[in-house]
Amino acid sequence: MTKASSLKGLLCSRPCAVGVGARDALDARLIELAGFDFVWASSFCISAAHCVPDASILSMTQYLDAARSMNESTQIPVLFDADTGYGGTEHVAYATKRIAGAGISGLCIEDKCFPKQSSLLPGASHALIRPEEFAAKIKAAVDVRPKSEFLIMARTESLIAGLSQNEALDRGYSYQEAGADALLVHSKSSSPEEVLGFAQAW
């Protein structure tokens, strides 16, 4: 079983699979030794390791170099946080080929405008692109991935942007129809109710 098929298996077979954000190979190794299921190659963590804000400042190659070292240092899957996909559909397609080619198990892209600002930054702008535009990004990633076991995760920032549950659900269904294997929904609420309510509705 490959790491990529293992990641899909985890998400499909367990009520909850737990991953932890990492900035480098040492973080990833410690996450594995602590018994977690997968590593999240976090753009927030990798940006912090370079002492820059999580605001699309580093290049895709810088993020990928960090994620590649995480993957080479662990036996558990690595899921790549690809922010907004580094631009339009062509950028997403190129990034997907590079990330999959590095042996990483999957990627996650979010529906914010580029350059994005951190979801938890007080007072930040959280403008989203049109759902049709983001669905096209998802389709671009699905179309170029070398194997179907490579996970394409769509992340909607609808709740971060202050939109309703219905709007978040509509976006999620649109991304699923475009071919996303999984959906990540994010919230800045101090209570879990917003995310749990979304999951129940889904």
Side-chain angles (χ1 to χ4, degrees), residues 80-108:
F80 188 93
D81 177 9
D83 285 341
T84 61
Y86 311 108
T89 55
E90 297 86 356
H91 302 85
V92 170
Y94 177 73
T96 300
K97 287 189 278 190
R98 292 285 308 278
I99 294 162
I104 294 164
S105 298
L107 63 79
C108 178

Side-chain angles (χ1 to χ4, degrees), residues 62-195:
Q62 288 173 290
Y63 290 121
L64 182 55
D65 286 344
R68 182 185 288 108
S69 68
M70 295 177 201
N71 188 56
E72 291 172 351
S73 303
T74 57
Q75 299 302 310
I76 58 175
V78 175
L79 181 57
F80 188 93
D81 177 9
D83 285 341
T84 61
Y86 311 108
T89 55
E90 297 86 356
H91 302 85
V92 170
Y94 177 73
T96 300
K97 287 189 278 190
R98 292 285 308 278
I99 294 162
I104 294 164
S105 298
L107 63 79
C108 178
I109 57 173
E110 63 189 72
D111 55 4
K112 276 186 179 173
C113 293
F114 176 87
K116 70 92 177 258
Q117 291 188 310
S118 175
S119 303
L120 303 180
L121 180 66
S125 170
H126 301 300
L128 307 185
I129 64 174
R130 293 179 299 108
E132 315 85 70
E133 189 178 348
F134 188 72
K137 287 186 176 186
I138 293 295
K139 187 175 185 308
V142 170
D143 286 348
V144 302
R145 64 180 170 182
K147 295 182 180 179
S148 61
E149 64 183 16
F150 181 82
L151 185 81
I152 306 295
M153 179 178 284
R155 170 172 164 172
T156 180
E157 294 285 281
S158 302
L159 302 180
I160 294 290
L163 302 180
S164 69
Q165 286 277 14
N166 284 340
E167 289 172 295
L169 286 164
D170 286 344
R171 280 180 174 260
Y173 291 131
S174 171
Y175 305 159
Q176 179 189 42
E177 189 173 338
D181 301 301
L183 183 70
L184 188 158
V185 61
H186 200 197
S187 170
K188 56 185 174 184
S189 172
S190 58
S191 161
E193 297 309 314
E194 195 169 47
V195 168

Side-chain angles (χ1 to χ4, degrees), residues 12 26 33 47 56 78 80 108 119 161 165 168 192 198:
C12 292
L26 178 59
L33 291 174
S47 295
S56 302
V78 175
F80 188 93
C108 178
S119 303
Q165 286 277 14
F198 181 94

